[in-house]
């Protein structure tokens, strides 16, 4: 076991040396900036009163990043006129999922995606979403995929198992196919929470938009 760990450490060291290229350094800076932003945000929210010395040592770039995180995100004017969007939806909880899909259609239309470029396909339930998303991504017929579904907690652990499997499955499709797959699955404790997140009525907000 000791020999295995030594070998692994040597392999890791060699791999790090091999990755010292301009492109890798640029990617590393990007990842580091993202980590810095998240840690600075969490730090300022929870730990400022306990670690003032650390706060004083924050760099100017950290402060700028924090202010950017606190401001409203603005992507500017988006032009999706050349994009093909695949929407995968579940048949379970049809009413709520249909509301989410209507929100998705409104959102992508606002981004100038033509109606004829929006493809909607159904699967039985949320558990089937990752598999369908992988097949669609590998087909090369769409530029991005949006998965829409609703999971409501019941009396057993079924909710937790399905929710975890679907979440990991969709992420794996992102990483494995390099096709953007948007996670549009609501994981709610009761139907009231679902209504507030799938409709704009009574103070709710349709998260599909």
């Amino acid at each position: 076991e000791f020999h295995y760990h030594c070998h692994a450490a040597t392999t890791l060291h060699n791999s790090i040396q091999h990755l010292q290229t301009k492109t890798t350094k640029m990617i590393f800076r990007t990842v580091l900036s993202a980590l810095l932003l998240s840690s600075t945000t969490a730090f300022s929210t929870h730990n400022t009163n306990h670690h003032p010395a650390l706060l004083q040592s924050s760099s100017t770039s950290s402060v700028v990043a924090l202010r950017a995180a606190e401001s409203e995100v603005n992507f500017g004017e988006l032009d999706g006129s050349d994009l093909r969007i695949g929407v995968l939806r579940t048949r379970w909880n049809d009413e709520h999922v249909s509301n989410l899909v209507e929100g998705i259609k409104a959102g992508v239309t606002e981004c100038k995606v033509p109606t004829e470029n929006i493809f909607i396909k159904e699967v039985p339930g949320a558990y089937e979403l990752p598999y369908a998303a992988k097949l669609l991504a590998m087909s090369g017929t769409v530029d991005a995929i949006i998965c829409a579904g609703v999971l409501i907690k019941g009396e057993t652990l079924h909710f937790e198992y399905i929710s975890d499997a679907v979440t990991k499955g969709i992420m794996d499709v992102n990483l494995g196919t390099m096709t953007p797959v948007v996670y549009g699955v609501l994981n709610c404790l009761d139907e009231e929470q679902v209504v507030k997140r799938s409709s704009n009525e009574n103070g709710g907000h349709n998260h599909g938009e």
Side-chain angles (χ1 to χ4, degrees):
E1 183 178 355
F2 176 78
H3 175 74
Y4 169 81
H5 287 301
C6 288
H7 176 72
T10 302
T11 302
L12 177 61
H13 175 74
N14 293 337
S15 298
I16 293 175
Q17 293 293 327
H18 178 69
L19 290 174
Q20 299 304 311
T21 63
K22 182 177 181 180
T23 302
T24 303
K25 290 180 181 178
M26 181 175 63
I27 295 175
F28 175 76
R29 292 193 194 101
T30 302
V31 174
L32 183 61
S33 298
L35 291 174
L36 178 62
L37 176 58
S38 61
S39 61
T40 304
T41 304
F43 165 75
S44 69
T45 303
H46 301 291
N47 300 321
T48 302
N49 295 331
H50 302 289
H51 303 283
L54 291 178
L55 180 60
Q56 294 174 0
S57 66
S58 298
S59 64
T60 304
S61 60
S62 298
V63 175
V64 172
L66 177 60
R67 290 176 178 173
E70 293 175 342
S71 64
E72 182 180 356
V73 177
N74 184 3
F75 294 102
E77 185 176 357
L78 300 178
D79 184 4
S81 56
D82 294 330
L83 296 181
R84 300 162 299 172
I85 305 298
V87 179
L88 296 175
R89 55 150 299 165
T90 64
R91 298 191 189 103
W92 277 96
N93 298 303
D94 178 69
E95 178 183 355
H96 303 307
V97 177
S98 294
N99 288 338
L100 288 175
V101 172
E102 289 303 314
I104 292 170
K105 290 164 62 176
V108 296
T109 299
E110 186 178 346
C111 295
K112 302 180 181 179
V113 177
T115 303
E116 59 269 21
N117 283 6
I118 305 173
F119 307 96
I120 302 176
K121 299 295 181 182
E122 292 185 351
V123 296
Y127 195 76
E128 288 74 38
L129 284 172
Y131 178 65
K134 184 173 182 178
L135 292 180
L136 185 56
M138 294 177 64
S139 73
T141 58
V142 296
D143 299 295
I145 300 170
I146 304 174
C147 294
V150 170
L151 292 171
I152 303 176
K153 182 172 176 58
E155 297 179 353
T156 69
L157 291 176
H158 181 266
F159 170 83
E160 283 81 357
Y161 286 128
I162 298 297
S163 177
D164 182 65
V166 172
T167 301
K168 185 179 184 303
I170 291 177
M171 174 58 73
D172 287 345
V173 176
N174 275 284
L175 300 177
T177 67
M178 301 306 291
T179 299
V181 184
V182 178
Y183 186 86
V185 180
L186 297 182
N187 300 265
C188 300
L189 300 179
D190 52 52
E191 192 163 4
E192 181 180 355
Q193 291 183 349
V194 178
V195 172
K196 289 183 178 180
R197 290 159 177 78
S198 61
S199 171
N200 292 325
E201 299 179 358
N202 300 320
H205 173 63
N206 190 333
H207 286 206
E209 299 176 351

